[in-house]
Amino acid sequence: MRRRDVDAVVASSPENVTYASEYWGLSHWARRGTQVYAVVWNEPARSVDLIVPAALADLVTETVSAAARIHVYGNFVLGSASLPDNDHERQLLELVTDAANPTSGPELLLKVLRARLGSGRVAVEHTGLADGALTTLADGLAEVELVDAGPLLREFRAVKSDQEVELLRRAAQITEQAAESALIAAHPGATETDIAQRFMTALIEQGALPETTVIGTGRRSALPNALPVERELRSGDVLRFDIGCRFGHYVSDIARCVALERVGGSERSLYRALANGLEEAAALLAPGVGTSEVYAAAMAAARRDGIPDYQRTHCGHGIGIANYDLPNITATSTEMLEPGMVICIETPYYRLGEFGLQVEDTFLITDDGAERFTQAPRELLILTDW
Amino acid sequence: MRRRDVDAVVASSPENVTYASEYWGLSHWARRGTQVYAVVWNEPARSVDLIVPAALADLVTETVSAAARIHVYGNFVLGSASLPDNDHERQLLELVTDAANPTSGPELLLKVLRARLGSGRVAVEHTGLADGALTTLADGLAEVELVDAGPLLREFRAVKSDQEVELLRRAAQITEQAAESALIAAHPGATETDIAQRFMTALIEQGALPETTVIGTGRRSALPNALPVERELRSGDVLRFDIGCRFGHYVSDIARCVALERVGGSERSLYRALANGLEEAAALLAPGVGTSEVYAAAMAAARRDGIPDYQRTHCGHGIGIANYDLPNITATSTEMLEPGMVICIETPYYRLGEFGLQVEDTFLITDDGAERFTQAPRELLILTDW
C-alpha cells in the first residue's frame, strides 16, 4: 500500500472483504447488493475497519479478529433475557441495537473514512458498491483522491500467506479425491447427473462445498461449460471433469478425463500431447520465470507431440479466494512467478461433435521451484471395470 | 412492459438473465464481472436477444429456446475435425469463431439495441453491468430514455409461472426432507458440521444444490446467520435450521427447530407462540389480502400467545430465483397477494445467550386461497432417540 501511495483500501466484493478481514457474510456472498466493506489502513499497518448491516453482525463478533473495529448500520431485533455473559454476544447486542447507527452502508463508510482522513488517496473497489455509493464518497471526501481498488486488490492477492496456501492445497486435494470417488458411480446406464452427485457428495463429506461441477460425457465432453444432464454413459465415451470446490472460502480448479471401457486411438495420443504440455510447463515453475514462458512451454509441447494447430488464449491462472487470481498464463503476460503464488496450469482441447480432453493441476511456487498439489495421469486412463 | 411504457428490458444480473431467457452461465453466476445480458422486447411480445461472451456460448445453443437471438462477443477456440452434424454444435461453432464479433459486452449490447431502436424508452438493470457500460449505452443511444430495470424486474418476478411454481414446490419439499434426514446424524458427540454435511448430502441426492445452510445449536442457535462449526451437540440444546437449496435454479427457504433429548419450559411455550403466529398468518392467505395484514396476524398471535414484546421488521417475503422476491411481508407494505405469488412466512425469535427458535414455511397463493408446500410442526419437537 505504501508503494502504491494509498492511505486506505476499501474492499466491497465478498471475495475481497473476506480476504481483507476474514469476515464471511451469508447474504453478502449469496446476493448481489448487500453492502459490506472492509477498510484496510496503511497506518497503523493493516488495521481494519469492518462495516456491516446489523442483520449480518453476529458472525463478525464471533469470528473476526478482535483487532478489527466493527461498525454497524441499521438495527436488528435480538432478544436477551439478561445481558449475555460472553464477550462477543454482549458486543453484538450493543452493536445491533444502538439507535445511533446510521441507516445506510455508504453513509457509514463515509463517516468511517472522514473520521481518519482529511486528504490523501483512497482506493475503493467498485464491484460490490451500491448505485450512487461512489458519488456519496466523492462528494463527502472532496479533498481525498479516490482511485479504483480492483486492480490493486488483485495484485495483493496474487501471493498467498501460509494459511491461504494450506486451504488451497486441501481444496485441490479434496477435489482430486472426490473425482476419484465419483468414478465409482460410472457404470453403463448411469448418467452425468449420477457422477456429479457422487462427486459433490464426496466434496461435502471432506468438509468442502461444491463450486464448479463441469462434467460432460461423449460429445458433451467437448462443451467447455458442460452442466451435467441426464445423458447415459456409453462405452467409448470420454468423461471430462473440470471441477472445483470451496474449502474455508478458498477454491480449487482441476481437470480429469477418463475413457469408459475403451478408447479411440486419437483420444489417447491427443491426451498424451496435452499431458506433455502440462508437464513441460510444470518443469519450468520457479520464482523469476515469466508466465509467458510457462505458456510457451505448454503450447510448444502440445503442438510438437500431436496437436500441430493447438491454440489457447491462456494455459492457466492464479487461484485463491477467487477462481481467477493473478497471474495470467498467456502469450503476452508480463508477470513473473513469485514464491507464494498458487497457480493452475491447464491444457484443454475441445473437439466439437467428438470429445473434449483436459489436463489441469495446481502448483505452489516455492523459494526454489514448485510444489505440486495434484497429479493428473500422464496417460488417458481407461475405466475398464465399470 | 406495455403498462410501464418501455420498449425493452435489459437484464444483467445472473438471476434476471436466467429468469428472462432460461440461460444459465457458469462464470456469470460464479463470478461478478462477467457480462451477459438478456434483452426482452415488448414487440414482438417477449422476444429475446441474448448476449454472451464466446467462452459461455456452448450452453446457450444447447439449452435456450430456438426463438431467442444469440449474439456473441469475443472468440473462443473450439476444434472440429469436420462440421458437426448437429444443429446446436454447428451454430455454436459459427458463433464463437466469427471474426466479426465485437470484443466487449457493452459494445455488443449497444449494437443490438441500436439495430432496433432509434428512440423510446429502455429499462436497464444496473446490478450486473461493468463499470462504464451505462455511459456507453447513454452515449450511443442519445434519443433513447434509459431507466433502471431493477424495480421492474422484481415486480415481474413476483407472480410465478406454473413451471416456476413446480420448481419452488420441489425445492421447498426437498429441503424439508433433507432437514429430516440430517437429524439422523444428531447424536451426543456429533457436531453442527456433521448435521450440515448430512443435510447437504441429502439435498444433492435429491438433485438439488446447497444454498443456505444456517445451522446453530445451543446458544449458537440464537445467531441469525449461524454458520455450522465444530461445536458438539448437547442434551437440552435447541437445534435451529434456517435452510434452503437451489433446484433448477430456484431456491427454497424454510426453518425447522428441534430440542435435543429434553426441552426447557420456555422454549416449548415460545415455540408455540411462534408457530401460532405462522398459522394465523397462513390462514389469511388469499388473493386480495394485504401483506401488511398477514404481517399483523403473525405478530398479534405471537404476542398474544407468549411473547408480549415480540418484534420483527418482516414476517416473510416472496421467493423465486432469488431468496428475497416480492412481496415483502411487513407492517408498512402496501402490496396485495395475487394468485401465483410464492411466499415464505416466518417468525424467528433470537434470545441471545440462550437459544433461537424459528418457524418458516412456503406457500403458493392460489385463485381462492393458498397451497402449503411445507408443514412446520406446531409443537417444538423433541429428539428423544439420539
Side-chain angles (χ1 to χ4, degrees):
Chain A
M1 283 170 61
R2 209 170 324 242
R3 198 150 40 93
R4 301 289 160 167
D5 190 27
V6 294
D7 299 295
V9 173
V10 179
S12 64
S13 69
E15 291 81 1
N16 282 324
V17 167
T18 301
Y19 172 74
S21 70
E22 302 197 13
Y23 170 69
W24 175 93
L26 173 63
S27 66
H28 190 216
W29 277 84
R31 291 193 273 286
R32 281 152 178 81
T34 306
Q35 297 298 291
V36 178
Y37 319 111
V39 184
V40 185
W41 296 92
N42 193 8
E43 294 292 345
R46 298 256 177 169
S47 69
V48 172
D49 284 281
L50 186 65
I51 294 164
V52 299
L56 289 182
D58 52 346
L59 298 191
V60 184
T61 61
E62 193 186 48
T63 59
V64 172
S65 150
R69 288 171 297 274
I70 302 167
H71 310 267
V72 170
Y73 64 90
N75 292 119
F76 189 81
V77 181
L78 283 177
S80 185
S82 53
L83 205 58
D85 58 4
N86 129 350
D87 282 350
H88 83 79
E89 287 169 350
R90 214 160 34 234
Q91 185 189 17
L92 173 59
L93 199 61
E94 283 161 16
L95 284 169
V96 304
T97 56
D98 188 342
N101 286 350
T103 56
S104 91
E107 185 191 340
L108 180 53
L109 174 58
L110 176 60
K111 192 177 152 198
V112 167
L113 291 172
R114 283 175 73 153
R116 303 210 23 207
L117 269 187
S119 61
R121 230 161 97 94
V122 173
V124 180
E125 185 193 14
H126 299 179
T127 310
L129 290 184
D131 267 11
L134 212 49
T135 311
T136 302
L137 295 182
D139 291 350
L141 295 162
E143 305 298 308
V144 174
E145 186 190 356
L146 298 179
V147 298
D148 183 6
L152 206 66
L153 282 160
R154 289 201 78 202
E155 260 183 68
F156 290 161
R157 288 195 343 230
V159 173
K160 271 68 185 178
S161 70
D162 291 349
Q163 186 190 344
E164 291 181 289
V165 167
E166 180 50 28
L167 293 172
L168 289 165
R169 184 188 288 115
R170 287 277 298 133
Q173 291 171 351
I174 285 170
T175 307
E176 186 169 54
Q177 173 60 45
E180 281 172 33
S181 302
L183 290 178
I184 297 167
H187 51 76
T191 64
E192 292 176 0
T193 308
D194 294 330
I195 306 290
Q197 290 186 9
R198 183 66 73 107
F199 167 69
M200 292 188 285
T201 300
L203 293 179
I204 287 171
E205 286 166 352
Q206 295 178 87
L209 292 171
E211 177 76 10
T212 306
T213 307
V214 169
I215 297 178
T217 59
R219 66 198 297 158
R220 292 194 83 251
S221 64
L223 301 179
N225 302 286
L227 188 67
V229 298
E230 292 292 340
R231 178 189 182 278
E232 285 190 12
L233 277 50
R234 285 174 222 148
S235 174
D237 280 351
V238 166
L239 189 166
R240 183 175 66 88
F241 291 96
D242 186 358
I243 47 180
C245 70
R246 194 170 284 274
F247 179 76
H249 310 317
Y250 281 70
V251 297
S252 60
D253 179 9
I254 67 169
R256 292 291 180 268
C257 292
V258 297
L260 300 181
E261 198 171 352
R262 59 189 172 76
V263 61
S266 68
E267 286 93 314
R268 195 194 298 258
S269 60
L270 293 168
Y271 182 91
R272 199 173 297 140
L274 299 168
N276 289 351
L278 174 68
E279 295 308 324
E280 298 203 6
L284 275 186
L285 300 178
V289 174
T291 49
S292 60
E293 295 174 62
V294 178
Y295 171 87
M299 297 299 290
R303 287 173 176 165
R304 180 195 68 211
D305 291 342
I307 316 176
D309 61 347
Y310 188 58
Q311 286 185 56
R312 279 291 296 170
T313 307
H314 71 79
C315 289
H317 51 84
I319 190 163
I321 201 163
N323 200 81
Y324 284 85
D325 266 7
L326 292 177
N328 299 309
I329 300 181
T330 69
T332 56
S333 162
T334 56
E335 298 153 294
M336 300 236 275
L337 297 179
E338 294 177 47
M341 285 181 167
V342 176
I343 59 172
C344 298
I345 301 189
E346 61 176 315
T347 47
Y349 184 50
Y350 309 108
R351 291 260 288 225
L352 208 58
E354 298 176 76
F355 53 81
L357 293 169
Q358 185 174 4
V359 188
E360 182 171 14
D361 274 325
T362 309
F363 302 82
L364 164 69
I365 308 303
T366 59
D367 287 339
D368 56 358
E371 174 195 335
R372 190 164 188 154
F373 290 167
T374 54
Q375 179 70 59
R378 295 183 179 217
E379 299 284 336
L380 179 58
L381 293 185
I382 305 171
L383 200 68
T384 48
D385 177 29
W386 79 318
Chain B
M1 283 169 61
R2 212 170 322 244
R3 199 150 39 93
R4 302 288 159 168
D5 191 25
V6 294
D7 299 296
V9 173
V10 179
S12 64
S13 69
E15 292 80 3
N16 282 323
V17 167
T18 300
Y19 173 75
S21 70
E22 302 196 12
Y23 170 68
W24 176 93
L26 172 63
S27 66
H28 190 217
W29 277 83
R31 290 193 274 286
R32 282 154 177 82
T34 306
Q35 297 297 291
V36 178
Y37 318 112
V39 185
V40 185
W41 296 92
N42 193 7
E43 294 291 343
R46 299 257 176 169
S47 70
V48 172
D49 284 280
L50 186 64
I51 294 163
V52 298
L56 288 183
D58 54 345
L59 297 191
V60 184
T61 62
E62 192 186 53
T63 57
V64 171
S65 152
R69 287 172 299 273
I70 302 166
H71 310 267
V72 170
Y73 64 90
N75 292 120
F76 190 81
V77 182
L78 282 177
S80 185
S82 53
L83 205 59
D85 58 2
N86 132 346
D87 281 351
H88 84 79
E89 286 170 350
R90 214 159 36 233
Q91 186 189 15
L92 172 59
L93 200 59
E94 284 161 16
L95 285 169
V96 304
T97 57
D98 189 342
N101 286 348
T103 56
S104 91
E107 185 191 340
L108 180 52
L109 174 59
L110 175 61
K111 192 178 152 195
V112 166
L113 291 172
R114 284 174 72 150
R116 304 206 29 203
L117 268 187
S119 60
R121 228 162 97 94
V122 174
V124 180
E125 186 193 13
H126 299 180
T127 310
L129 290 184
D131 266 10
L134 211 51
T135 310
T136 302
L137 295 181
D139 292 349
L141 295 163
E143 305 296 307
V144 175
E145 184 190 357
L146 299 179
V147 297
D148 182 7
L152 207 66
L153 282 160
R154 289 202 77 201
E155 260 183 67
F156 290 162
R157 287 195 344 230
V159 173
K160 270 68 184 179
S161 71
D162 291 349
Q163 186 190 343
E164 291 180 289
V165 167
E166 180 51 28
L167 292 172
L168 289 165
R169 184 189 289 114
R170 287 277 297 131
Q173 291 171 353
I174 285 170
T175 307
E176 185 169 54
Q177 173 60 46
E180 281 172 34
S181 302
L183 289 179
I184 296 166
H187 51 77
T191 65
E192 292 176 0
T193 308
D194 294 330
I195 306 288
Q197 290 187 8
R198 183 65 74 107
F199 167 70
M200 292 189 284
T201 300
L203 293 178
I204 286 172
E205 286 166 353
Q206 296 178 86
L209 293 170
E211 176 76 10
T212 306
T213 307
V214 168
I215 297 178
T217 58
R219 66 198 296 159
R220 291 194 84 251
S221 64
L223 300 179
N225 302 286
L227 189 68
V229 296
E230 293 291 341
R231 178 190 181 277
E232 285 190 12
L233 278 50
R234 286 175 222 147
S235 174
D237 280 351
V238 166
L239 189 166
R240 182 176 67 89
F241 291 97
D242 186 0
I243 46 179
C245 70
R246 193 171 285 274
F247 179 75
H249 309 316
Y250 281 69
V251 296
S252 60
D253 180 8
I254 66 169
R256 293 290 180 268
C257 293
V258 297
L260 300 181
E261 201 174 348
R262 58 187 173 75
V263 60
S266 69
E267 286 92 315
R268 196 194 298 260
S269 61
L270 293 168
Y271 183 92
R272 200 173 296 139
L274 299 169
N276 289 351
L278 174 68
E279 296 307 325
E280 297 203 7
L284 272 187
L285 300 178
V289 174
T291 50
S292 60
E293 296 173 63
V294 178
Y295 171 88
M299 296 299 290
R303 287 173 175 166
R304 181 196 66 213
D305 291 341
I307 316 177
D309 61 347
Y310 188 58
Q311 285 187 56
R312 280 290 295 169
T313 307
H314 71 79
C315 289
H317 51 84
I319 189 163
I321 201 163
N323 200 81
Y324 283 84
D325 266 7
L326 292 176
N328 300 309
I329 301 181
T330 69
T332 56
S333 162
T334 56
E335 299 154 294
M336 300 236 275
L337 297 179
E338 294 177 46
M341 284 180 168
V342 176
I343 59 172
C344 298
I345 301 188
E346 61 177 314
T347 46
Y349 184 51
Y350 309 108
R351 291 259 287 225
L352 208 58
E354 299 176 76
F355 53 81
L357 294 168
Q358 185 174 6
V359 189
E360 182 171 16
D361 275 325
T362 308
F363 303 81
L364 165 69
I365 308 304
T366 60
D367 287 340
D368 56 359
E371 175 195 334
R372 190 164 188 153
F373 290 167
T374 53
Q375 179 71 59
R378 296 186 179 215
E379 299 285 334
L380 179 59
L381 293 185
I382 305 171
L383 199 70
T384 48
D385 177 28
W386 80 320

